[in-house]
């Protein structure tokens, strides 16, 4: 099946710094990628939809300036957590849609990136 | 508010026991339905999906799902579990009006004792 890879898988940073997480579709092109956030023992919450060549669409309550998303190519989307604070510590997961339209396009998920802000 | 809810947070059972996980959603329109599994240390993987047609869907690894439209529910089942089925299971709903957005349930951690 299609493979989506995230990097880094774990990152620890100091409060106030910025962290970039990459999401790559390894063997297919993805015009649309999705970024999720998962809190401990909770479900995945959609943060934003990343569209190749255009601005990302953010879900209600997600700060655009805090979570910068860039989808510069058909195989790469990046999420940058700017001026990170301890409350940004979480598990971030990306997914990419393979083929088809909205009815049939299957989503493949990356392995996730665990961010810890000290 | 529209939501997706899973009935159990944790399930513990022995090998060869039958497994049934329930999931309900509150969207009124047409939806696509998914079950994902996350094995320890691995990423989410698709178990099965329902778009239309026969409400009884067979997925991978012996799992099947029954979609009960009148009850806004879809239940994941496996007649006989194995230790390797220990994982977290997520149901997810994709309202057709929302494009490819998925809304996930809270997840159910399943522990199968050998």
């Amino acid at each position: 099946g299609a493979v989506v890879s995230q990097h880094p898988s774990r990152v620890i940073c100091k409060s106030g710094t910025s962290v970039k997480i990459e999401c790559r579709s390894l063997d297919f092109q993805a015009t649309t990628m999705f970024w999720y956030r998962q809190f401990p023992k909770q479900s995945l919450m959609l943060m934003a939809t990343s569209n190749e060549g255009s601005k990302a669409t953010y879900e209600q309550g997600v700060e655009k300036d805090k979570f910068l998303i860039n989808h510069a190519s058909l195989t790469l989307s990046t999420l940058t957590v700017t001026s990170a604070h301890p409350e940004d510590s979480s598990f971030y997961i990306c997914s990419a849609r393979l083929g088809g339209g909205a009815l049939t396009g299957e989503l493949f998920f990356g392995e996730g990136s665990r961010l810890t802000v000290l | 508010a529209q939501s997706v809810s899973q009935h159990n947070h944790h399930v513990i059972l022995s090998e060869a026991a039958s497994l049934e996980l329930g999931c309900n959603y509150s969207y009124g329109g047409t939806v696509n339905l998914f079950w994902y599994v996350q094995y320890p240390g691995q990423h989410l993987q698709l178990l099965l999906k329902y778009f239309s047609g026969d409400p009884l869907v067979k997925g991978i690894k012996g799992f099947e799902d029954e979609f009960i439209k009148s009850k806004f529910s879809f239940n994941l089942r496996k007649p006989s579990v194995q230790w390797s089925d220990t994982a977290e299971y997520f149901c997810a709903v994709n309202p057709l009006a929302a494009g490819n957005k998925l809304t996930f349930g809270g997840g159910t951690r399943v522990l199968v004792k050998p």
Side-chain angles (χ1 to χ4, degrees), chain B residues 28-89:
Chain B
T30 304
V31 296
N32 296 326
L33 307 167
F34 303 83
W35 278 98
Y36 284 87
V37 60
Q38 189 170 29
Y39 297 104
Q42 297 186 29
H43 56 267
L44 279 167
Q45 300 173 42
L46 181 67
L47 259 184
L48 50 78
K49 58 187 176 184
Y50 173 80
F51 290 153
S52 63
D54 189 345
L56 189 60
V57 180
K58 293 193 182 297
I60 62 171
K61 304 184 180 183
F63 284 90
E64 60 183 30
D65 171 82
E66 183 179 15
F67 171 48
I68 306 175
K69 188 175 182 179
S70 61
K71 296 184 178 180
F72 298 90
S73 74
F74 55 117
N75 303 320
L76 182 69
R77 296 197 293 247
K78 185 169 184 177
S80 177
V81 295
Q82 300 172 320
W83 173 80
S84 57
D85 292 321
T86 293
E88 187 158 18
Y89 294 81

Side-chain angles (χ1 to χ4, degrees), chain A residues 4 34 36 38 41-44 46 49 57 59 91 93 97 101-107 109-112, chain B residues 6 32 34 36 38 42-46 49 51 88 90 94 96 99-107 109:
Chain A
V4 175
F34 301 88
Y36 291 84
Q38 186 179 26
K41 299 184 179 181
Q42 295 188 32
S43 187
L44 287 78
L46 179 64
T49 303
T57 304
E59 295 300 301
F91 196 55
I93 304 173
R97 181 165 64 92
L103 288 178
T104 59
E106 182 174 334
L107 291 181
F109 287 80
E111 58 268 61
Chain B
Q6 294 183 233
N32 296 326
F34 303 83
Y36 284 87
Q38 189 170 29
Q42 297 186 29
H43 56 267
L44 279 167
Q45 300 173 42
L46 181 67
K49 58 187 176 184
F51 290 153
E88 187 158 18
F90 294 92
N94 162 225
L96 295 196
N100 256 82
K101 290 184 181 180
L102 282 179
T103 300
F104 284 84
R109 289 182 182 271

Side-chain angles (χ1 to χ4, degrees), chain A residues 11-19 37 39 63 65-67 80-92 114-118:
Chain A
V11 57
I12 300 173
C13 69
K14 293 183 179 180
S15 185
T17 61
S18 295
V19 174
R37 183 174 179 176
F39 292 99
E63 298 178 57
D65 297 330
K66 176 73 171 176
F67 300 100
T80 301
V81 183
T82 62
S83 187
H85 289 94
E87 58 264 30
D88 298 325
S89 297
S90 191
F91 196 55
Y92 294 88
R114 185 167 299 284
L115 170 63
T116 303
V117 184
L118 303 177

